[in-house]
Amino acid sequence: MRHSSILRSLAGAGLVLGLSAGGFGAHAGVLDEPHLRIVPRTEAEKERIGKVLAAPEDFSAAQAFEEMSAGAATVRPRNNADAFSQPSGNMPFADELDFKVGNGLFRKLWVSSPSSTLASDGLGPLYNARSCQRCHLKDGRGHPPEGPEDTAVSMFLRVSVPGGEEQAMAEIEDYISTSPEPTYGAQLQDFSLPGHKAEYRLDVGYEEREVALSGGEVASLRVPTYEAADLGYGPLHPDAMLSPRVAPQMIGLGLLEAIPAADIMAKADPGDVDGDGISGRPNIIWSLEYDMPMLGRFGHKAGAPTVKHQTASAFAGDIGISNPLFPDPWGECTAAQAACRAGPHGDGDDRVYEIDGEGLDLVTFYSRNLAVPARRDVSEAEVLRGKEVFYDTGCTSCHTPAYVTHRLEDQPEQSFQLIWPYTDMLLHDMGEGLADNRPEARATGREWRTAPLWGVGMTERVSEHTYFLHDGRARSLLEAILWHGGEAQAQRDAVVEMAPEDRAALIEFLESL
């Protein structure tokens, strides 16, 4: 294991680690977690947790509770597209109504203002989708456009230019300063209301590239190119940086939010002190909720610190809906888009925001409590062999198998659960092949947050596709592995060179998650 027991014990004791060289010594306040009401762990609990999370020495049988990916919050795996749409398995009955109302708001189609349905107007004027569900299809992952007749409704381009954000630069060490593109803002919207021009049309092209594997096998990767075509408001800034993003799956977010920040920080090795080639770094984000730096947890580059922040940002950027954290009624429209800002918005009448604090909290509760299905075939011989290959290859250096969440006063669904998300929640340099060359907070243009792997084996069941990575370029789990580079180059090469039967077992294991 690449993380020393000393680091783990320090983190478990809640001590601040002074890793100043690219680390987090200058902003140790990110160990604070104001979004959670935490009951401190006892010394006995810390000792128990250390034993439970120890790496297995025997791969002939499944570990205790390994089938329960989300602890008591786990639900049985359904054989239909609703597999990711169930509430936490341990949700109190009294909270189920909040979950269902939040689901209704998540699925609700917003309309333009003015409208007779005042609770549903405020769409756009520029937007990527009319509802949260339109991007997160069945609460699963989105996909790139499939052919000329398909829209990019669950995929868009983020955009920024260098410079700006002086406050964040001063408050957060190693922050990479960027600003929204002056004309188009922070992301490009490909839909618009009547009387307004859409910002662009996303064109995606692919070139096939073959990769030779051991045993005479051959894989093919599709190398993508992206174009912001039919720009509606003039050319992009010459220094504009574009990054394609598909909507990620929604399951287990509340449990990821409840992982102790100290446990995540303890896995960081920004200077690769142990020399294993893996140098995960935390992203640090300025929280609009709490007006302070916080650990980034959500998004492809860990660009949001909490589920609520991520939800509010998506309402504003994707749908154009104002809320307490992003109060502009015109959503993403910039000062250069005067007609958009001057158009009718849904902030009149008795409303201050197009979705108020109560509505935002309900959608946050829903998003926090979308359940993770139980593992399948956890004790099958081929799956167990694949798990051993996963460990032996070093995949757990980034895809940390398990955690125990905080004990929480007011979130029984997330409180003190043994979970198996297979992520360290840190940023890693994934090489030039996956680079978007667009920084986000402390994340460089080559860095991405380790994606959680729970639920990946059910992607086709839920989303009717098997597209993976931040832009959906990989058409299978094997292709996703073969795109790994940078810090994961050695693991990628090991998969290429290993015996075909071991490679097949590895994929079998991943599909059981």
Side-chain angles (χ1 to χ4, degrees):
M1 297 297 289
R2 67 185 178 91
H3 307 299
S4 71
S5 59
I6 296 175
L7 282 177
R8 290 185 184 279
S9 63
L10 286 172
L15 301 179
V16 173
L17 308 181
L19 303 181
S20 57
F24 45 89
H27 38 73
V30 298
L31 292 179
D32 297 333
E33 297 168 280
H35 59 300
L36 301 173
R37 296 180 63 188
I38 299 166
V39 179
R41 291 173 175 174
T42 66
E43 291 303 319
E45 285 175 341
K46 293 174 187 176
E47 184 177 353
R48 284 169 50 206
I49 290 168
K51 293 178 180 178
V52 167
L53 298 182
E57 297 179 358
D58 178 14
F59 292 91
S60 64
Q63 292 168 264
F65 311 113
E66 187 177 4
E67 184 178 16
M68 304 295 286
S69 297
T74 308
V75 296
R76 65 175 179 83
R78 297 198 171 202
N79 291 318
N80 56 35
D82 293 327
F84 287 174
S85 300
Q86 308 309 307
S88 298
N90 57 348
M91 179 178 289
F93 178 76
D95 291 340
E96 289 186 12
L97 180 59
D98 286 347
F99 182 85
K100 291 175 181 177
V101 175
N103 183 21
L105 291 170
F106 192 84
R107 296 167 61 92
K108 181 170 72 170
L109 294 175
W110 293 84
V111 298
S112 60
S113 300
S115 169
S116 58
T117 57
L118 297 181
S120 297
D121 72 352
L123 175 67
L126 304 177
Y127 59 97
N128 294 107
R130 290 182 58 196
S131 74
C132 307
Q133 184 77 215
R134 288 287 179 93
C135 288
H136 302 278
L137 308 169
K138 301 299 292 183
D139 305 300
R141 65 184 73 235
H143 61 83
E146 297 179 297
E149 302 303 318
D150 191 16
T151 65
V153 70
S154 59
M155 182 180 189
F156 63 81
L157 294 176
R158 290 209 183 279
V159 58
S160 55
V161 296
E165 297 185 314
E166 288 80 4
Q167 180 187 33
M169 285 287 286
E171 296 279 350
I172 301 175
E173 183 183 14
D174 296 332
Y175 197 95
I176 304 171
S177 180
T178 62
S179 296
E181 202 278 343
T183 301
Y184 291 92
Q187 69 188 62
L188 295 174
Q189 283 88 18
D190 49 353
F191 293 102
S192 62
L193 297 177
H196 299 271
K197 292 182 290 185
E199 289 188 324
Y200 84 126
R201 175 176 53 82
L202 175 59
D203 272 355
V204 185
Y206 297 102
E207 177 182 338
E208 294 289 335
R209 186 177 75 199
E210 289 191 346
V211 178
L213 307 176
S214 64
E217 296 180 356
V218 177
S220 182
L221 303 183
R222 55 179 189 174
V223 182
T225 56
Y226 301 98
E227 180 185 0
D230 300 337
L231 290 165
Y233 298 86
L236 289 163
H237 189 282
D239 296 328
M241 302 173 288
L242 300 173
S243 180
R245 306 289 174 87
V246 295
Q249 64 186 28
M250 296 289 293
I251 57 173
L253 299 185
L255 293 163
L256 296 176
E257 186 179 49
I259 297 171
D263 290 359
I264 296 172
M265 296 293 237
K267 300 177 186 302
D269 184 14
D272 191 20
V273 174
D274 60 9
D276 69 347
I278 307 295
S279 52
R281 302 191 309 127
N283 205 352
I284 309 299
I285 307 300
W286 189 264
S287 169
L288 299 177
E289 291 175 82
Y290 301 103
D291 197 32
M292 60 180 284
M294 290 182 66
L295 174 67
R297 296 175 187 250
F298 302 106
H300 293 293
K301 286 182 181 274
T306 65
V307 177
K308 185 174 182 178
H309 185 122
Q310 179 78 359
T311 301
S313 175
F315 265 119
D318 300 349
I319 314 177
I321 299 297
S322 63
N323 58 74
L325 295 186
F326 294 86
D328 291 336
W330 47 75
E332 261 273 294
C333 297
T334 68
Q337 297 166 328
C340 177
R341 290 198 171 192
H345 303 292
D347 60 341
D349 305 299
D350 295 328
R351 290 183 295 167
V352 178
Y353 309 110
E354 292 163 335
I355 185 168
D356 60 15
E358 182 180 10
L360 180 61
D361 286 343
L362 286 165
V363 179
T364 300
F365 182 80
Y366 172 76
S367 301
R368 186 180 284 140
N369 281 289
L370 283 163
V372 182
R375 289 270 307 277
R376 285 86 49 218
D377 305 321
V378 66
S379 296
E380 293 292 324
E382 185 78 351
V383 170
L384 291 170
R385 174 58 187 149
K387 177 183 173 182
E388 186 174 12
V389 172
F390 187 82
Y391 275 74
D392 289 347
T393 306
C395 302
T396 57
S397 293
C398 299
H399 290 282
T400 302
Y403 298 87
V404 173
T405 61
H406 275 302
R407 192 182 291 280
L408 301 173
E409 291 183 359
D410 56 350
Q411 293 177 222
E413 302 88 353
Q414 288 83 43
S415 181
F416 208 58
Q417 300 298 321
L418 171 61
I419 64 173
W420 304 78
Y422 289 88
T423 174
D424 62 6
M425 304 288 282
L426 297 173
L427 301 170
H428 295 275
D429 182 337
M430 295 301 293
E432 191 59 34
L434 287 179
D436 66 348
N437 300 310
R438 177 186 176 272
E440 185 172 338
R442 298 179 80 229
T444 71
R446 290 168 56 104
E447 288 181 316
W448 301 94
R449 183 200 66 161
T450 304
L453 296 181
W454 53 11
V456 293
M458 301 189 76
T459 297
E460 187 170 17
R461 184 179 305 180
V462 172
S463 303
E464 298 183 345
H465 67 73
T466 56
Y467 299 146
F468 300 104
L469 301 177
H470 66 281
D471 56 359
R473 69 177 68 183
R475 294 162 295 190
S476 68
L477 292 169
L478 177 59
E479 285 187 32
I481 294 169
L482 295 177
W483 273 109
H484 283 47
E487 295 175 40
Q489 185 69 43
Q491 287 71 29
R492 178 263 184 200
D493 292 347
V495 172
V496 169
E497 296 165 4
M498 67 177 51
E501 56 269 26
D502 286 345
R503 194 162 51 238
L506 174 63
I507 299 302
E508 193 81 9
F509 165 69
L510 294 174
E511 289 179 345
S512 78
L513 297 180

